Amino acid sequence: MLHPELTASATAVQAEQVRQLDSQAHASCNRTCELGMSRATGKDYQHVLELLAAATA
C-alpha cells in the first residue's frame, strides 16, 4: 500500500491476464489484495461475499 510500485511489479503477470479477460466481476477474499489488484488492473475488485450478496439480493 505504501509502495504501489512493489505491488505493480509483483502482480504484473496476473494483471495482464486479468486485462485480457472479458469478466463481469473480479473477486478476492482479502481487502489488501482487492486494493492492489484494482490498482494494478484498473478493474473493480470486490470481496467474494459482497458479490454473492449482490447476486442473491
Side-chain angles (χ1 to χ4, degrees):
M1 303 280 289
L2 297 175
H3 304 282
E5 65 277 5
L6 294 177
T7 301
S9 176
T11 61
V13 172
Q14 293 85 356
E16 181 57 33
Q17 291 170 343
V18 168
R19 284 191 288 270
Q20 292 178 9
L21 297 175
D22 185 28
S23 301
Q24 294 181 3
H26 302 280
S28 176
C29 292
N30 177 290
R31 183 63 181 143
T32 305
C33 181
E34 290 172 38
L35 294 170
M37 288 302 288
S38 291
R39 187 177 292 160
T41 64
K43 307 289 184 180
D44 183 32
Y45 273 74
Q46 294 178 283
H47 193 281
V48 67
L49 294 178
E50 291 177 302
L51 292 170
L52 179 62
T56 59

